[in-house]
Amino acid sequence: MTTADTVPGTLGRLARFCHRRRRLVVLLWAVGLVLVMAVGFGFAAPADNDFTGGRSESAKAQNLIKQHFPERKGSSLTLAVQAAAGVTAPTVQPRVEVLLAELAKAPHITSVHSPYDTPGQISRDGTIAFATLQSDTNPLPSSEVKHLIDETRAASGDGVTFALGGADVVGAETPYGGASDAIGAMAAMLVILIAFGSLLAMGLTMLAAVFGILSGLALTFLLGYAFPAPSFSPIVATLLGLGVGIDYALFIVTRYREALADGADPEQAVVIAIGRAGRSVLFAGATVVIAMLGLFVVQQRLLNATAVAASVTVLMTMVAAVTLLPALLGYAGRGIDRFKLPYLGRTGSRSPLAERWARVIQRRPVTGLVVGASVMILLTIPAFSMRLSFEDNSTEPRSSSGYASHRILSEGFGAGSDAPFVVVAELPPGETGAVLAPLIGAVAATPGVAAVTPAQTSADGRAALFVAYPTTAHQDAATPRLLTELRSRVVPGAAADLPGVVVHIGGPTAGDADFADEVATRLPYLIATVIGLALVLLLVLVRSVTIAVKAAVMTLLSVGASFGVLVMIVQWGWFGPLLGFPTTAPITAWVPLFVFPILFGLSTDYEVFLVSRIREEYDGGYPTREAVARGLGHTARVITAAAAIMVTVFLSVLATPDIAVKEFGLGLAVAVFLDATLVRMVLVPAIMELLGNVNWWLPRWLDPVLPRV
């Protein structure tokens, strides 16, 4: 039997203190949580969804617009109008003008451009028109956008349809989180209940995880003042915190129950659980944090902020796991299995079935390696055709106002009517927008450009802009190709004859394309950084170069397979409608950036828990083959439960209407499922069997350099 005395000191002493002073620890956590939630949720920093920062062309265009066209610094909305009788009919035009007058009164709306006053905003057949609403803030508050949507819907009827569209409409109609968070938590509770078979064990696991998640989220809302974060930041932090928080508590409670079953008293069992599983929790959590902070290499401030938010949430779940959970276990004592449900759960964590499975793979390691690797590689192949963009009105649910606006505008003005390029030019002193006539003509003559608006000169006379509408939609691969053509050939050629004129192409569509290009360029650096940092951590923990490198390769396979499945479902449309994706579309640009580091951290979690136990068995005198079988037998059940929790939590976001969050959750769920099944149950035992004692290779010169844990 393992005793508390054999457990390394620091974590063992911390566990013993939290167990003996459990009343104080629980009180401090409860009071601290109430205070931090009151401040964090009550004074949360506003979201920032402006991804145009940096040195991209769209960022330079946006800076010019902010400097010389202050009236356009906020976001804009588009009101689409469709009337079979014609938008200028005596029964229709007054209704349109009354609605525009009402919308103009809304807070933050600074101007409304009526189709009856602005050329080019009525279709050729006269049945469709659009008006633009300019605001003084970006983004508009969701509550205000929803009110505007309700007004437009109420005005529809009697042969006239109004629909409001724009980026802020996407955010308001497809909010993050909501019911999906509750679904994920309930599903996780069910999995834990099946694993433990005890209401008390399940309750303590969830309580520790929830304390960590809520405190982490509250802190991230406050950190938003220092690190402005986008709207999806809380859902990323919540999903990650919910997954790892429950997993970490699950591993510790499982080790605690195992120690009790081996004859330890409750205090010894707490010390053993924290000293053994708690060490793995800290290393696994540190790997997740380091992986997330690797996003800083992308050099995008909003992604940096999201990485910080997710890291803080993970840190708080780690702290809760090694401080609050020991105190809660002190109250449970030997009654951890109290309120046990019949036919569910087992006290022991060892799985004879998993041991037998490991021995089957060990007898046919080459077959296991070839079959497992072939499946992962086949799933990875579609990832090489991945395209990146952002969701827009065309990807919204078909019943939404945003999609209705997209449909109407496409019918009246073409597919590219809601994917405009904003061309901005700095003018030399004394010039006006008229000087841009040759440039406007060149852009209008470019194949793929449907229409171009007249130039508008700024009030200070130092800049001018016009808008070019492509013939293809925002999500069409031809649209970014047209942007590249305009930037690389058309605009430089025309601007060469305009001395002193500096031209940039921006707008939401160009901004999305620039961000996607930046992601594609920076993703290899992110992968290299995260893998390098994780390898160092794994080397310190398992003291094996072979296992550290193997873990990195296995994780890359899981990531590739996950990206491949996303491409098949989202881009190619396989089972898309069944999973809540209304149309085919590119992958949302920020999704791969977060799926990779999060998955790398979570995959390393499983590697740490599995290999740590294998190393324990190996250090206990068992040969590598036996250590692998016993280690898998001891960890398979808990890793399976942990993976099931992760998968259910991540799949719960399919209940949310937001396409990007669906992609994020689906990608992680697929990757975790493959990692916990093919990788941990097939590839790892097969590779370790083939490598034998080489698994534990560590150069002699490196051994004294690495700190001992």
Side-chain angles (χ1 to χ4, degrees), residues 669-694:
V670 169
V672 169
F673 174 77
L674 292 172
D675 194 84
T677 52
L678 274 179
V679 172
R680 301 298 148 211
M681 302 298 289
V682 178
L683 291 175
V684 168
I687 292 173
M688 294 191 76
E689 173 66 18
L690 291 171
L691 293 176
N693 287 332
V694 177

Side-chain angles (χ1 to χ4, degrees), residues 421-432:
F421 299 137
V422 181
V423 185
V424 191
E426 281 189 279
L427 301 177
E431 294 288 356
T432 67

Side-chain angles (χ1 to χ4, degrees), residues 178-197:
S180 64
D181 294 341
I183 294 171
M186 293 296 292
M189 291 170 63
L190 180 61
V191 173
I192 298 172
L193 192 57
I194 293 172
F196 285 152

Side-chain angles (χ1 to χ4, degrees), residues 366-377:
V366 175
T367 302
L369 177 61
V370 171
V371 171
S374 298
V375 172
M376 300 293 281
I377 291 170

Side-chain angles (χ1 to χ4, degrees), residues 428-473:
E431 294 288 356
T432 67
V435 75
L436 299 182
L439 174 62
I440 294 175
V443 171
T446 304
V449 174
V452 177
T453 66
Q456 174 188 349
T457 306
S458 63
D460 61 8
R462 299 303 307 274
L465 64 79
F466 63 93
V467 179
Y469 292 93
T471 58
T472 51

Side-chain angles (χ1 to χ4, degrees), residues 12 28 60 110 121 173 242 467 479 487 516 585 643:
L28 289 176
K60 294 174 182 177
T110 56
Q121 293 186 192
E173 291 192 305
L242 192 59
V467 179
T479 303
R487 284 174 169 173

